[in-house]
Amino acid sequence: MHERILIIDFGSQVTQLIARRVRESGIYSEIQPFNSVTIETIREFNPKGVILSGGPASVTATDTPRAPDGLFTMGLPVLGICYGEQTMCAQLGGKVEESNHREFGRAFVNVVDDCELFHGVWKVGSKEQVWMSHGDKIDAIPDGFRAVAISDGSPFAAIANDEKKFYGLQFHPEVVHTPHGAKLIENFTHRVCGCSGDWTMQSFKDEEIKKVREQVGDGKVICGLSGGVDSSVVAVLLHEAIGEQLTCVFVDTGMMRKNEAEEVVSMFRDNYKIKLVHRDAADLFIDRLEGVSDPEKKRKIIGSTFIDVFEEEAKNIGGADFLAQGTLYPDVIESVSFTGGPSVTIKSHHNVGGLPERMNMQLVEPLRELFKDEVRILGRELGLPENFVGRHPFPGPGLAIRLPGGVTREKLEILRNADAVYLEEIKNAGLYDIIWQAFAVLLPVQTVGVMGDARTYDFVCAVRAVTSTDGMTADFYHFDMEFLAQLSNRIINEVPGINRVVYDITSKPPGTIEWE
Ligand code: XMP
């Protein structure tokens, strides 16, 4: 078994980043919510060390979350981050108090003593940039600890108990705004916990192939292939594991980008020789969407039509024992909610939920432990071409949610053409890999223009481009004006039906990435 680090989640917005940093240091890690973790679950997981995440609660209130007390007598190294540091202090006999000197955002710490976590990166006497986000402060540290870094707001910005291998950081080393944070985490996993870094994508791939073979035996598997990175990686991994036992189903919803259906089919059927059913269901989808302009209704219609079609095709191939899906780790983590109650649905996401029960299939989810960027690395490991692995995300409901106001064949055609010109320009400018996602939206608005000597009365096209790491937050991309000028010219000249182009300068939040 690989070396592992356990992260106990106290509800910080950035807990997932801790797991990513640990994995980047070559160690497998998992997150368990504080309210389900016990000494038994820790023993069962068998980690080389434990990290306590930050969180929104205050240690000073009664009844706030704690690490299981027994954790501190298991002989395991522990790193407490922010709330994690505070609860560790409170649980080991230190003192935490509310502070009127809150620290949020960029801050500086002074390194006052040597520490294993700082090895090779922070020296005594140096001033280092970090990211803080805390209201409470530690007033007294438990016996056996010493302060190794201080800041204006925290006399105990970093603390160490070398004998027990307990460390605490008041700041967040997992975010990029703490420039040496990744190194501090690597020092914890390697130098303090003694890990060697045995987790690589090559080893993950080999193990996952073995697991799939064991799970599936000689059963039949179907996999919905959309052409997106996740489902493509699942398909190729499964093909390598079980060959002919896999059938992929590509449902062309008619909402795909230009030439997409042909590219996906030729890539998988012709290059990989994967058994692939290509169902052209464009008419069915477009007919069912006729006259519908409410975004949620559109999403629901597309979702249920997709399931109907997929079910038909699954029956056509004589059914299957397993359904393969590209579920990722962020979808699996049980996130800790302090507000209680369900969170608000912003958008209904498109998936094949409900189908496995209806068809009595079990799920195969080989990407359940991975983050999006790790899926890309796995894709490369599996030999998928760069133009598939590096593709921008594309939503299940496709172009339908980029046509506010209603879907028609004519509008789909105009949008598809504008989108193709836009992506071509982005690729020509060498910006495709810098931008996380870019697409055109066709607005249900016509405006007056003049082309040649004639009056035009055509649609407005909005273009969107964002940078992001995970799609949860995003910034609009700052294009050069020359680029936008040339783009506008090309779209208006080359795409009949559009006579005006606008650029969307909204970040997320408050906007979402897609318009619907
Ligand atoms: P939003 O618009 O919510 O999008 O900011 C965040 C990311 O998710 C994609 N997206 C979807 N992906 N099915 C998907 O597979 C969906 O229904 C869906 N809706 C949005 C969106 O393109 C962006 O990358």
Side-chain angles (χ1 to χ4, degrees), residues 226 230 299 346-351 372 392-398 401-402 436-437 439 464 466 468 470-474 508 511-516:
S226 69
D230 306 339
R299 281 175 169 273
I346 307 287
K347 296 174 184 187
S348 310
H349 270 224
H350 157 104
N351 59 37
K372 186 96 187 173
H392 287 181
F394 186 64
I401 56 170
R402 296 174 180 173
W436 199 73
Q437 194 172 11
F439 53 88
R464 180 122 173 92
V466 295
S468 176
D470 50 16
M472 306 291 285
T473 59
K508 174 182 179 175
T512 51
I513 295 177
E514 302 289 347
W515 278 40
E516 292 194 331

